[in-house]
Each structure stands twice: as C-alpha cells, then as structure tokens.
Amino acid sequence: MRCAEGDDTRGPGGDDQIGIATKTRAKPKKPSQFKVLMLNDDYTPMEFVVMVLKRFFHMDLEQATRVMLHVHQRGVGVCGVYPYEIAETKVNQVMDFARQNQHPLQCTLEKA
Ligand code: TYC
C-alpha cells in the first residue's frame, strides 16, 4: 500500500509547509451493516407478524408469510440488513407497534 504521509501539505510551488491540506483517508470505511432479527413467541398472532413485515420491511404477502413461518418454526429470522441507524429505527418501530397492540413480539439487531 502506498502511503503519501507528508505530501499532503505541499503547496503548488513545491513548498513543504504551506498549501491546502488534501489528505484523505487511505482506506475509506463503508458503514457497517446490521441485521434486523425477528424472534418467535407463543402469543403474537401470525397475521400480526405478517402485517409488520409488510408495513416496516416492504415485503409482499408471500415474502412476509415465508419469513413469519421461518421465525415461527426456527425461533429467529432476518427481516432485512441496513446501516445501523436505519436498523435501529426499524427495531423501535416494530417494538412500538407491537406494544401499542399488546403483543409481546420482539425484534433485535445483530452486526451483519
Ligand atoms: N408463534 C406465533 C404463533 O404461533 C407466531 C409468531 C411468528 C410469533 C413469528 C412471532 O416473530 C414471530 N401465534
């Protein structure tokens, strides 16, 4: 890897000290991704879970039904993968909506 340390404050005239600092990160970090996970429970109605998946994760009926049944049978399933802030917002939206409807549905984040 090439390291241009020291070159970054060099002015157009070859002066070592003055000029515009143009240093950029050598290896830009892409924002890390997070899985939004849905957890199974014994009380939340299947129809409600399907509605949540359609409403907050933009799934169609077929997709939402498939994910809901996967969670029902396996205990946990992935609703989607997003940058942290979006994933966190989705989790909060799902939990708030479930609470408003008095369902114990749980949703959580995991680093992808
Ligand atoms: N297990 C629930 C039932 O039998 C359905 C369910 C599916 C609940 C997925 C939560 O994330 C869930 N009514």
Side-chain angles (χ1 to χ4, degrees):
M1 196 210 301
R2 201 176 77 89
C3 183
E5 192 92 55
D7 282 350
D8 53 350
T9 55
R10 205 179 289 265
D15 191 308
D16 260 351
Q17 295 303 316
I18 56 167
I20 301 165
T22 55
K23 190 172 181 178
T24 51
R25 199 188 170 90
K27 197 178 175 198
K29 287 221 162 57
K30 56 172 188 282
S32 41
Q33 298 285 99
F34 286 78
K35 290 186 267 193
V36 175
L37 302 178
M38 189 81 92
L39 306 179
N40 189 35
D41 66 73
D42 291 339
Y43 305 102
T44 305
M46 291 184 173
E47 298 72 28
F48 184 82
V49 179
V50 169
M51 177 168 52
V52 164
L53 292 169
K54 287 167 70 181
R55 180 179 296 210
F56 298 112
F57 299 95
H58 311 291
M59 294 183 196
D60 61 25
L61 177 63
E62 192 184 310
Q63 226 181 338
T65 303
R66 201 177 332 117
V67 172
M68 181 280 295
L69 284 174
H70 173 95
V71 176
H72 176 68
Q73 288 159 4
R74 314 282 283 266
V76 61
V78 180
C79 305
V81 180
Y82 308 93
Y84 180 78
E85 288 196 355
I86 295 173
E88 193 194 29
T89 301
K90 302 263 181 208
V91 168
N92 289 333
Q93 286 172 331
V94 171
M95 301 287 279
D96 287 349
F97 188 56
R99 213 173 296 124
Q100 279 162 24
N101 289 275
Q102 278 127 40
H103 296 309
L105 183 63
Q106 296 290 310
C107 192
T108 187
L109 284 187
E110 185 182 281
K111 200 168 183 319

